């Protein structure tokens, strides 16, 4: 009974210390030089280091989260590069194919591509490519050389702090999970086992979410995104020939303009017409009475 009683006391002490540590605002921070929580964090994530601190207090060991891998060297900075270009090209369809070839030459890929015809058979298109970040500048220059740059926007988003924050949370949750697994191996009654398993499931869900977010950031950092908007210039030489569609279009346009002109003319002369009609009616009545 004595080992079972000690195990129960150990479990209660761990849960109590975890709850108390979660309420502390600035004690035993898991971050080196940062007390802010990531935007994607929650109250549970902020309390995640508590079990590791409890383990330290109970065992007298060092806290493995006290020195996270937060101080990254300049070569390890997490930078997300993106570019948005508007290009005027002679032929949108050929330019879109050229963009595809440029992306393939640097081991990149087309994320999306669309080309559509507009007025006067002028095409427009939008192509989005993802290329290795090491080839970002090279790809950007190659695409800009395809035509006339109308607009250009390049951004570099530094997500190093967010990544370090997530990494620290992951380390804390991993240590917490290992602690609960050790307690689960020593549990003997059903209530203790169920309680520990609930905590393990909660921690595993948080670990999966943080791991997924870190993988997403790794992918965005490893591959840069370029969005290219393509358009063709207006035709400088007017067409000398006529087609049935153009003749019908011009005829409809001329008829519409004529109707509009007549409506405007009638509305302008309407007061004069009304006054003239009223004067003629009065004059006719006066003439009839005079002759009678």
């Amino acid at each position: 009974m004595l080992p079972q009683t000690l195990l129960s006391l150990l479990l209660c002490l761990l849960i109590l210390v975890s709850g108390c540590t979660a309420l502390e605002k600035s004690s035993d921070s898991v971050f080196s030089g940062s007390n802010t929580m990531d935007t994607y964090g929650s109250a549970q994530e902020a309390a995640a280091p508590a079990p590791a601190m409890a383990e330290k207090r109970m065992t007298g060991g060092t806290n493995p989260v006290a020195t996270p891998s937060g101080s990254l060297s300049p070569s390890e900075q997490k930078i997300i590069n993106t570019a948005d270009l508007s290009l005027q090209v002679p032929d949108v369809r050929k330019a879109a194919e050229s963009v595809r070839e440029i992306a393939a030459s640097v081991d990149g890929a087309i994320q999306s591509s669309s080309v559509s015809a507009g007025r006067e058979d002028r095409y427009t298109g939008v192509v989005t490519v993802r290329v290795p970040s090491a080839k970002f500048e090279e790809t950007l220059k190659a695409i800009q050389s395809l035509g006339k740059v109308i607009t250009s926007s390049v951004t570099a988003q530094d997500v190093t702090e967010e990544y370090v924050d997530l990494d620290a949370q992951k380390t804390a949750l991993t240590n917490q999970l290992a602690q609960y697994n050790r307690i689960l191996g020593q549990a003997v009654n059903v209530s203790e086992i169920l309680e520990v398993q609930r905590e393990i499931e909660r921690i595993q869900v948080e670990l999966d979410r943080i791991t997924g977010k870190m993988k997403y950031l790794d992918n965005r950092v490893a591959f840069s995104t370029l969005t290219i908007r393509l358009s063709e210039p207006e035709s400088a030489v007017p067409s000398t020939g006529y087609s049935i569609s153009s003749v019908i279009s011009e005829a409809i346009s001329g008829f519409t303009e004529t109707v509009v002109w007549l409506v405007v003319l009638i509305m302008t002369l309407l007061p004069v017409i009304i006054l003239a009609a009223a004067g003629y009616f009065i004059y006719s009545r006066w003439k009839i009475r005079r002759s009678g």
Side-chain angles (χ1 to χ4, degrees):
M1 289 296 296
L2 184 56
Q4 180 177 350
T5 303
L6 291 176
L7 179 60
S8 300
L9 291 174
L10 179 62
L11 177 60
C12 293
L13 180 60
L14 175 62
I15 295 175
L16 179 60
V17 173
S18 300
C20 294
T21 310
L23 299 176
E24 297 177 0
K25 294 183 178 179
S26 58
S27 62
D28 300 323
S29 175
V30 295
F31 306 107
S32 57
S34 174
N35 291 327
T36 58
M37 185 173 64
D38 179 43
T39 308
Y40 300 92
S42 62
Q44 290 180 341
E45 292 174 6
M53 296 303 299
E55 181 180 6
K56 172 183 175 181
R57 292 166 182 169
M58 289 185 293
T59 62
T62 57
N63 183 5
V65 192
T67 56
S69 56
S71 300
L72 299 180
S73 64
S75 60
E76 296 174 321
Q77 296 296 299
K78 301 292 183 179
I79 306 295
I80 299 176
N81 294 311
T82 57
D84 195 309
L85 302 175
S86 294
L87 295 180
Q88 192 176 84
V89 295
D91 191 319
V92 166
R93 289 169 292 182
K94 290 182 179 179
E97 185 61 30
S98 298
V99 171
R100 185 188 301 272
E101 294 173 356
I102 292 173
S105 67
V106 294
D107 297 326
I110 297 291
Q111 181 171 302
S112 63
S113 177
S114 64
V115 175
S116 58
R119 297 180 57 185
E120 300 178 358
D121 292 332
R122 292 172 55 211
Y123 285 83
T124 59
V126 179
V127 182
T128 302
V129 298
R130 301 201 66 203
V131 299
S133 294
K135 302 288 186 178
F136 176 72
E137 294 293 340
E138 174 186 340
T139 306
L140 181 61
K141 291 180 180 179
I143 293 176
Q144 287 177 336
S145 65
L146 295 177
K148 179 183 178 181
V149 179
I150 305 301
T151 62
S152 176
S153 174
V154 179
T155 60
Q157 181 185 1
D158 190 346
V159 294
T160 306
E161 183 178 356
E162 179 182 356
Y163 192 89
V164 171
D165 186 10
L166 291 172
D167 185 54
Q169 293 181 42
K170 180 181 178 181
T171 303
L173 288 172
T174 301
N175 293 334
Q176 187 177 359
L177 184 61
Q179 178 75 357
Y180 276 115
N181 282 326
R182 284 195 294 270
I183 295 175
L184 182 63
Q186 300 172 5
V188 292
N189 59 53
V190 176
S191 61
E192 291 175 350
I193 293 174
L194 292 178
E195 188 172 359
V196 174
Q197 283 181 340
R198 281 196 297 269
E199 291 299 314
I200 290 176
E201 290 176 358
R202 177 186 66 80
I203 295 171
Q204 190 61 56
V205 169
E206 290 299 316
L207 269 175
D208 292 342
R209 187 191 68 81
I210 291 175
T211 301
K213 178 63 177 177
M214 292 178 71
K215 288 182 178 179
Y216 170 76
L217 290 178
D218 283 333
N219 182 264
R220 292 290 307 277
V221 169
F223 288 88
S224 301
T225 304
L226 296 92
T227 302
I228 304 96
R229 309 177 193 279
L230 304 171
S231 62
E232 295 177 352
E234 296 182 0
S235 179
V237 180
S239 176
T240 57
Y242 293 94
S243 62
I244 296 178
S245 60
S246 63
V247 170
I248 294 176
S249 177
E250 291 181 5
I252 294 174
S253 177
F255 175 76
T256 304
E257 291 180 0
T258 302
V259 171
V260 170
W261 182 83
L262 288 175
V263 171
V264 172
L265 180 62
I266 292 173
M267 293 299 294
T268 302
L269 297 179
L270 185 60
V272 177
I273 295 174
I274 293 175
L275 290 175
Y280 178 76
F281 176 76
I282 294 172
Y283 174 75
S284 298
R285 297 286 296 179
W286 176 78
K287 189 176 182 180
I288 292 172
R289 288 179 181 179
R290 184 178 180 182
S291 60

